[in-house]
Amino acid sequence: MSDIGRPGKIIAVHLNYRSRAAQRGRTPAQPSYFFKPASSVAASGDVLERPAGTELLAFEGEVALIIGRSTRRVSPDEGWAAVSGITAANDFGLYDLRAADKGSNVRSKGGDGFTPLGPAIIPAAAVDPGAVRVRTWLNGELVQDGTSDDLLFPFGRLVADLSQLMTLEPGDVILTGTPAGSSVTQPGDTVEVEVDAPTAPGAPTSGRLVTRITEGTVAFGEFGSKPSVDETQRSEAWGTPPAPAFALTGELRAQLASVSTATLSSQLRKRGLNAVSIDGLASTRPGARLVGTARTLRYLPGREDLFASHGGGYNAQKRAFDAVGAGEVLVIEARGERGSGTVGDVLALRAQVNGAAGIVTDGGVRDLAEVAALDIPTYHAGPHPAVLGRKHVPWDADVAIACGGATVLPGDVIVGDADGLLVIPPALVAEVVADAIEQEREEVFIAEMVRAGEKVDGLFPMNAAWKERYRAWLTQQ
């Protein structure tokens, strides 16, 4: 750390750049913080170990403020005066441990070497706090480039806010947030961060803060939470922009309900999607149409010790049936195992009362007569009287699952009728259903022509001549 000693406190801001907030899809109204231990500080040139068994070690280039005097209850206008210098920081975080931290960031961001600082300090008096730049390079490629004029909460405001409740002491460090571009780093990578003030006299700079990443060899023990990741953590760690929000509107629901799954299937096939049918299931209400967005529930194969820890109390199954909402479909992964029930009358009733559009399980159903008497359609692999624990452990919810041979993600659109069930990616729903409606309109015309005695050759599918006759037919409808 050359010119930087070990700080007493390291306080980090969660979100503070407009570019990063846009990337995350949320903009805070006020700053929020977390602590990092002083033992996490490292120097430029140090090696950082990615712990064994983890995959999502992310870098975040930041401007670090170094407090120069004892500071308590200052105003935002006075806050910058408490800063003696600034330098480069890299706020490394291990997304594999975020679930275990439950928001504290103690383990995910508190590891040894997770806060490199330096190498040089830029005197605060030499720079305009609104004209500071931070840049990050990954293996020589510029991946982050942000300036302090993009901050949601300026440096002085952060100092003032924190000083309302705690005394900031000389040497304390405030990490001020990272701009867009943060992502995952791998063993063998080199990450560099530089803070400078390019418009200030002499263009002062911190120099490059260099960190080399290596692979750890010591696995996590059984006496604490193990690394765990899901698609949300992967997306946030890699910096994937959030997908535009999808809403299954009443109009889209009505359009999907107006066409058959056979027609929808042919439209999905035209787009290269063949593995989107949930196969081998029967419906308790085969005459009812099912349209809704997926919520998911996953069962693991039965194991007595795991059922003892996960099967009782307010387990994943009960939480999922309580959480499924209006217009949603609860899709259950039971691995095609029919040797026990995966849902019974009470839970099916709970889903119906919640307004759920349906239940889909590739396992068995208990109390089938009672479940079939409900209004809510339930697709299943068959009846079975045994309880869940005979074959299954309720494990987790709202994760990617496999059901009836198809992958289902939370938020996918599920459509079902007497022919079966389809999974439609949300981004394709509008165009697929529009083309399906047009396809069925064409098929009405074709059926009329066949009933009138026309041959199918050239008519099904329509050649140019028949398409012309079809357009004329449309004008008469």
Side-chain angles (χ1 to χ4, degrees), residues 281-470:
L281 308 184
S283 175
T284 57
R285 299 193 65 212
R289 296 301 304 272
L290 171 63
V291 178
T293 51
R295 299 290 294 269
T296 61
L297 171 61
R298 182 166 70 110
Y299 296 146
L300 294 184
R303 207 177 87 182
E304 288 77 4
D305 61 324
L306 295 180
F307 195 86
S309 61
H310 289 76
Y314 195 45
N315 60 32
Q317 180 197 49
K318 294 176 182 177
R319 294 196 301 271
F321 276 91
D322 269 347
V324 65
E328 296 178 332
V329 180
L330 185 58
V331 186
I332 301 171
E333 175 183 338
R335 310 172 313 284
E337 171 55 67
R338 299 175 55 185
S340 77
T342 57
V343 58
D345 57 345
V346 172
L347 292 179
L349 177 61
R350 176 59 176 158
Q352 176 173 296
V353 170
N354 285 351
I359 302 166
V360 177
T361 175
D362 62 355
V365 171
R366 295 183 74 214
D367 314 309
L368 181 59
E370 289 82 358
V371 173
L374 297 173
D375 293 332
I376 187 171
T378 297
Y379 286 77
H380 60 95
H384 202 284
V387 295
L388 182 74
R390 180 171 183 264
K391 292 288 185 178
H392 305 288
V393 179
W395 196 252
D396 51 10
D398 289 329
V399 295
I401 65 167
C403 182
T407 296
V408 180
L409 304 183
D412 280 345
V413 173
I414 308 298
V415 181
D417 60 16
D419 281 345
L421 289 156
L422 291 175
V423 182
I424 307 178
L428 294 179
V429 168
E431 65 177 79
V432 165
V433 72
D435 288 352
I437 290 170
E438 173 58 22
Q439 179 183 331
E440 291 203 344
R441 189 181 293 122
E442 291 177 0
E443 290 174 354
V444 168
F445 168 74
I446 291 168
E448 282 192 15
M449 296 302 102
V450 171
R451 276 193 291 268
E454 298 289 349
K455 297 179 179 179
V456 295
D457 184 33
L459 173 61
F460 185 60
M462 289 186 286
N463 59 23
W466 274 113
K467 285 181 179 178
E468 185 62 31
R469 290 181 62 176
Y470 169 66

Side-chain angles (χ1 to χ4, degrees), residues 62-191:
E62 306 199 11
V63 178
L65 310 182
I66 302 170
I67 300 299
R69 67 189 190 198
S70 182
T71 303
R72 181 80 159 99
R73 294 198 175 103
V74 297
S75 70
D77 290 339
E78 299 167 328
W80 177 247
V83 178
S84 62
I86 62 174
T87 192
N90 203 330
D91 180 19
F92 282 101
L94 197 60
Y95 281 69
D96 309 64
L97 293 176
R98 285 192 6 160
D101 277 355
K102 298 183 176 10
S104 72
N105 288 339
V106 169
R107 299 175 75 212
S108 61
K109 291 208 168 198
D112 288 351
F114 276 38
T115 315
L117 296 172
I121 297 173
I122 303 172
V127 300
D128 174 356
V132 175
R133 179 173 65 174
V134 58
R135 292 178 293 171
T136 306
W137 293 262
L138 179 62
N139 299 323
E141 178 184 356
L142 182 66
V143 291
Q144 289 188 285
D145 190 349
T147 55
S148 53
D149 62 358
D150 188 43
L151 290 175
L152 292 166
F153 314 112
F155 297 145
R157 179 173 172 178
L158 299 177
V159 174
D161 184 27
L162 290 166
S163 76
Q164 294 185 92
L165 288 172
M166 68 183 76
T167 299
L168 299 175
E169 299 168 323
D172 285 351
V173 168
I174 301 173
L175 306 184
T176 58
T178 196
S182 164
S183 193
V184 172
T185 183
Q186 309 285 348
D189 287 346
T190 297
V191 188

